[in-house]
Amino acid sequence: MIRAVLFDVYGTIAGFSPSRYQLQRKACAAFGLGDKITPEGILKGYASADAFMTAENASRPLRLRDKEGRDEFFAEYERLVLKGCGIDVAPDLALLIFDHLKDAPSALTPFDDVVPTLVELRERGLTLGLISNMNMSGVDLLSDLGLSNHVDFAVTSLEARVEKPHPLAFQTALSRAGVEANEAIMVGDQPSSDIVGAAQVGIAPVLIDRDGNYPRYDACPRITTLDQLPPLIE
């Protein structure tokens, strides 16, 4: 019997507003590259960049790096995003574009299907939690997302001192939820950090593929919107 549902944050529960496409196009315009940015290219680029982030966090967490190490990471992250649009830039230029992007007003905002789904799941008596690699407290994360009244808790890398897919991140969430692994479901958009990470501790995973990056994924149930989740939980 499922008693708790755990969620990744970025790409699962929330995305940027303005959109990543709008932010990237504006940042790149300052360097004469704005016209080369396409919605399709941004989707492709972020899929590659986010996979890179997952791999890097598993071996050398971003929160533990000095400024030089963070700059090195974000230069490569941005380079991969732009490569999705067919733009090949040097790391130095990629970092300049990223810094321009970072200064643009934006907010991580829940997707439209999130609150209605969370309300439905809580009405069933399920405990809900977030697991995030963000370097901030869980209380602050829920507050920033406006989800404090809809989610019971959030476990972050700042508090757990590890990043997904480390087992401790998931085990900490299970402890907070007061359930065993076989009583929980984990919903996330990254196969390696969310799906494999959950499965390795015995949590049943569900892949949410909002951008259509994994159309043939069959290692676990796959959904494309969060409102498809409740029918999977019986």
Side-chain angles (χ1 to χ4, degrees), residues 7 13 114-122 128 147 150-151:
F7 300 90
I13 289 292
V114 169
V115 170
T117 300
L118 297 179
V119 169
E120 179 176 351
L121 295 178
R122 290 192 93 182
L128 307 181
L147 295 178
H150 299 289
V151 177

Side-chain angles (χ1 to χ4, degrees), residues 8-12 14-28 34 37-51 53 77-78 81-82 85 97 101 104-109 111 189-190 209-214:
D8 167 55
V9 176
Y10 174 65
T12 298
F16 283 106
S17 179
S19 70
R20 297 175 301 182
Y21 164 70
Q22 292 170 315
L23 290 168
Q24 286 286 348
R25 185 177 174 85
K26 184 174 181 180
C28 288
I37 301 299
T38 65
E40 297 79 11
I42 287 299
L43 288 180
K44 181 180 178 181
Y46 269 103
S48 177
D50 288 342
M53 177 181 282
Y77 185 91
E78 180 65 17
V81 171
L82 298 181
C85 294
I97 295 172
L101 179 74
S106 65
L108 199 59
T109 305
F111 296 112
D189 70 313
Q190 292 297 310
D209 188 15
R210 292 186 182 274
D211 295 335
N213 292 320
Y214 311 102

